[in-house]
Amino acid sequence: MWSISMSELKLVYFAWVRERVGLSEERVSVPDSVLTVAELAGWLQTRGEEYAYAFENPAIVRAAINRKHVKPDASIAGASEIAFFPPMTGG
Amino acid sequence: MWSISMSELKLVYFAWVRERVGLSEERVSVPDSVLTVAELAGWLQTRGEEYAYAFENPAIVRAAINRKHVKPDASIAGASEIAFFPPMTGG
Amino acid sequence: MTPRLTIRIQSEPFDAAAEIEALSRLGEDVGAVTSFTGFCRSEGGRLAALELEHYPGMADDEIGSVVTEASTRWPLFGVTVIHRHGKMEPGDGIVLVVTASSHRTASFDAANFIMDYLKTRAPFWKKEYRADGTSGDWVDAKSVDDALAERWKV
Amino acid sequence: MTPRLTIRIQSEPFDAAAEIEALSRLGEDVGAVTSFTGFCRSEGGRLAALELEHYPGMADDEIGSVVTEASTRWPLFGVTVIHRHGKMEPGDGIVLVVTASSHRTASFDAANFIMDYLKTRAPFWKKEYRADGTSGDWVDAKSVDDALAERWKV
């Protein structure tokens, strides 16, 4: 029996977030205590130097859940794919 | 000796002003008492039915002196070419 | 920079693609090219043609002034304005404005400004030829065009 | 009317002239076609190239949403948006927006709106490659772009 319940998520990273993390995507098991995008970013920061660097200024990292833009306080319940990336510079 | 001093002007007309007057251009001798564009339009109205028709609503006839837009109260002193036309519909 | 300003008043059709391409090639710092083409419309089949009358000389001067004003207000590499006169059928291009700049907003705003001013200041008048063969009316100026031009006043 | 909406995310170059021509031919009541092309710039010789990374799937969705929103706000015959990804050199087209309408302001405003929203919502990121051969930085987002997108809020 596990004392902490976990849910599996696909995370994808773009631009300098991808470069800093060193991965373009990964599957992670996130503790059920992590409820929002901001909490997920905070939890990722604890996973190592590369994550700490990528999320050192969480205010400028943007997120999308299932390919839709979300705010930091968005719930991650039901998410299958969560993306983190810098502000967009297309066009 | 002439009792009324006159100055000669080239007048040009466009669009429905041209069609109503029945001329695209003409040279006219204007009494020196005619000082402004509005007075010139008023004087033209007295020259016959076609002019009265063209200038029946002087508020919507626009004018240019020497190919520059002018207001009705603009002085015609020094003008060599005065144009009358409806509001523009180019573009 | 000294922008390349091209103004043509002509009865011949214009080649929008070639004009856009020419302004796109004004150097490696052209980052934004905006084009606007105005066409003769049938208005749901009501019209067979439009005839554009213009005031030669004054048309060039007025378009020249608005293009010069635009190149003072915004940093531009080039501006091309072509305005046709004569008879045109639905689908024919009447007017073309192309602007090239380093930046998007400069090229967009300059093209928009030029069109707004052309509408209210360039001495052109449109006469309608109806599809039923009767001769048409002169197109009425729209007060909305004056309002659009007003928005650029400082 | 049901507008013709075309969205393409591709690495290949696009043919702006052909896209503009296609939207210009959507019927005899197309009176106004606006196009905007954004190009890779050298920034005074500083840059050799830009590399555009994107989020596949989400890029299509976001551009689709903004194009749909534009076609709800303005009466349009057609909209074409093409956004490239991959490596581009100065002078290469990055993005193309074309709008066709009966009326000038609808086509202008729709194109401007689409570009403003693309800048702040479409998941694309630009990396610089410097002319001196060193690898460059990621281009910073401009707060002015957020302000430009804000102006369309009702």
Side-chain angles (χ1 to χ4, degrees), chain B residues 12-16 18-19 62 64 66-69 81-83 85-91, chain C residues 53-58 62 83 94-95 119-127 138-141:
Chain B
V12 292
Y13 307 109
F14 294 97
W16 55 253
R18 172 181 57 71
E19 287 183 340
R62 308 288 178 94
N66 301 344
R67 302 181 176 179
K68 291 199 186 312
H69 291 291
E81 179 173 304
I82 299 188
F85 43 76
M88 287 138 289
T89 55
Chain C
E53 181 170 332
H54 77 303
Y55 187 175
M58 183 171 169
E62 283 295 326
H83 203 307
I94 297 174
V95 62
K119 282 269 175 190
T120 56
R121 296 193 58 88
F124 287 83
W125 300 272
K126 292 190 182 102
K127 184 172 192 164
W138 291 90
V139 173
D140 270 334

Side-chain angles (χ1 to χ4, degrees), chain A residues 5-54:
Chain A
S5 170
M6 310 282 269
S7 60
E8 204 186 65
L9 266 180
K10 180 182 176 188
L11 300 183
V12 293
Y13 307 110
F14 294 97
W16 55 255
V17 176
R18 172 182 56 71
E19 288 182 339
R20 290 180 182 190
V21 169
L23 291 169
S24 57
E25 63 177 76
E26 61 180 329
R27 295 202 153 268
V28 295
S29 291
V30 180
D32 281 353
S33 59
V34 171
L35 300 175
T36 67
V37 166
E39 286 167 15
L40 177 60
W43 177 77
L44 286 167
Q45 269 187 292
T46 68
R47 296 179 77 221
E49 258 180 30
E50 58 275 40
Y51 292 93
Y53 181 35

Side-chain angles (χ1 to χ4, degrees), chain C residues 18 24 64 74 95 99 112 146:
Chain C
S24 302
W74 292 280
V95 62
T99 57
N112 212 348
D146 286 325

Side-chain angles (χ1 to χ4, degrees), chain C residues 16-121:
Chain C
E19 304 297 339
I20 294 167
E21 175 72 13
L23 284 207
S24 302
R25 299 289 157 238
L26 289 180
E28 293 198 332
D29 278 320
V30 171
V33 172
T34 301
S35 80
F36 175 85
T37 312
F39 295 92
C40 178
R41 288 182 290 131
S42 79
E43 299 198 357
R46 193 174 66 81
L47 298 181
L50 284 177
E51 183 156 17
L52 275 106
E53 181 170 332
H54 77 303
Y55 187 175
M58 183 171 169
D60 301 75
D61 288 352
E62 283 295 326
I63 295 178
S65 301
V66 67
V67 166
T68 301
E69 172 69 18
S71 69
T72 308
R73 290 191 180 209
W74 292 280
L76 300 170
F77 287 108
V79 178
T80 297
V81 177
I82 303 177
H83 203 307
R84 291 179 64 199
H85 56 84
K87 209 158 177 177
M88 270 154 257
E89 292 178 3
D92 291 348
I94 297 174
V95 62
L96 173 71
V97 173
V98 191
T99 57
S101 176
S102 286
H103 298 291
R104 175 172 58 109
T105 49
S107 91
F108 247 116
D109 290 351
N112 212 348
F113 168 88
I114 289 169
M115 277 306 303
D116 281 347
Y117 270 80
L118 273 193
K119 282 269 175 190
T120 56
R121 296 193 58 88

